[in-house]
């Protein structure tokens, strides 16, 4: 049967969707943690706090590009991801503190709020990422969003690509085999099963 090729690779399209959702959840977690801390401090989100929260979101998203946190969602190692969250948020708070000192903006926000926010934000960010991953795996388990792929060429590059697809469940891809019209003697591993 002829195979219809999509102009967009399924890997890029799938990553783009989940990356967008994760970025939105990261931003929401930063703002939500500030809201919670302010509420427990018997205060409310005033203009000064809201402005600080929005600036923190921008700094956090930029810092995540430097620390590689934006790529950690596709990693299976939760410990590495949590470490990146803490590093990224610490960098964010440091930049915020520098801005507060330079502009004397920090006097509008109590230190107790800043301390609580410093602790709570990475926790909520980690929980949001965990929740999204659970939802993602639940959908994929039910076959929602699954794309079947086959790799052209049973060689070292093909095997590495297949390994990457198998290890990264979040891609939503399922390997169905390899296509290779070479003779078995020319294939580096003759024991591999060919599909097609």
């Amino acid at each position: 049967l002829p195979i219809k090729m999509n102009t967009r690779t399924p890997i890029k399209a799938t990553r783009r969707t989940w990356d967008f959702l994760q970025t939105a959840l990261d931003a929401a977690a930063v703002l939500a943690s500030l809201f919670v801390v302010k509420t427990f401090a018997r205060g409310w989100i005033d203009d000064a706090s809201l402005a600080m929260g929005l600036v923190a979101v921008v700094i956090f998203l930029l810092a995540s590009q430097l620390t590689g946190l934006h790529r950690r969602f596709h990693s299976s190692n939760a410990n590495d991801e949590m470490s990146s969250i803490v590093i990224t948020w610490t960098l964010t708070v440091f930049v915020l503190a520098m801005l507060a000192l330079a502009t004397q903006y920090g006097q509008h926000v109590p230190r107790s709020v800043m301390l609580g926010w410093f602790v709570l934000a990475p926790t909520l960010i980690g929980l949001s990422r965990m929740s999204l991953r659970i939802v993602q795996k639940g959908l994929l388990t039910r076959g929602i969003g699954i794309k079947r792929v086959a790799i052209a060429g049973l060689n070292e590059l093909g095997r590495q690509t297949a390994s990457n697809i198998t290890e990264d469940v979040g891609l939503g891809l399922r390997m169905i085999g390899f296509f290779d019209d070479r003779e078995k003697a020319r294939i580096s591993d003759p024991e591999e099963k060919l599909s097609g």
Side-chain angles (χ1 to χ4, degrees):
L1 295 177
I3 301 175
K4 183 178 180 181
M5 300 299 292
N6 202 331
T7 55
R8 294 188 307 170
T9 63
I11 293 179
K12 288 183 178 180
T14 304
R15 278 188 183 276
R16 195 174 295 119
T17 299
W18 290 109
D19 286 346
F20 173 79
L21 290 174
Q22 188 56 74
T23 299
L25 282 178
D26 285 347
V30 171
L31 293 175
S33 59
L34 178 59
F35 174 81
V36 171
V37 171
K38 283 285 290 182
T39 300
F40 275 95
R42 297 180 181 178
W44 194 251
I45 296 293
D46 51 16
D47 292 340
S49 298
L50 180 58
M52 184 179 64
L54 293 176
V55 171
V57 167
V58 173
I59 296 173
F60 182 83
L61 295 181
L62 291 175
S64 69
Q65 301 293 319
L66 296 176
T67 61
L69 176 61
H70 68 293
R71 294 188 298 271
R72 290 295 183 186
F73 180 68
H74 302 288
S75 171
S76 59
N77 194 324
N79 290 331
D80 287 348
E81 183 178 34
M82 197 63 212
S83 296
S84 292
I85 291 173
V86 173
I87 292 172
T88 305
W89 180 244
T90 302
L91 180 59
T92 301
V93 172
F94 176 77
V95 174
L96 276 177
M98 293 299 99
L99 290 175
L101 287 175
T103 62
Q104 296 184 347
Y105 197 80
Q107 61 186 354
H108 299 289
V109 183
R111 291 182 180 179
S112 59
V113 171
M114 288 298 297
L115 180 60
W117 194 26
F118 180 77
V119 174
L120 184 59
T123 303
L124 287 187
I125 293 170
L127 288 175
S128 72
R129 285 174 168 256
M130 184 187 304
S131 299
L132 184 58
R133 190 174 279 110
I134 291 173
V135 171
Q136 182 188 48
K137 289 183 178 180
L139 292 175
L140 296 180
T141 300
R142 291 169 174 76
I144 301 174
I146 289 287
K147 297 181 178 68
R148 297 190 303 166
V149 296
I151 296 176
L154 183 52
N155 49 32
E156 188 63 30
L157 178 60
R159 292 192 192 93
Q160 183 59 52
T161 302
S163 176
N164 293 341
I165 290 173
T166 302
E167 292 176 1
D168 195 346
V169 181
L171 291 176
L173 303 177
R174 178 176 297 163
M175 275 291 301
I176 61 173
F178 294 86
F179 291 101
D180 201 317
D181 59 359
R182 295 176 298 172
E183 296 179 359
K184 289 187 177 181
R186 295 181 58 198
I187 299 176
S188 56
D189 187 356
E191 294 182 3
E192 288 280 354
K193 295 181 180 180
L194 299 180
S195 301

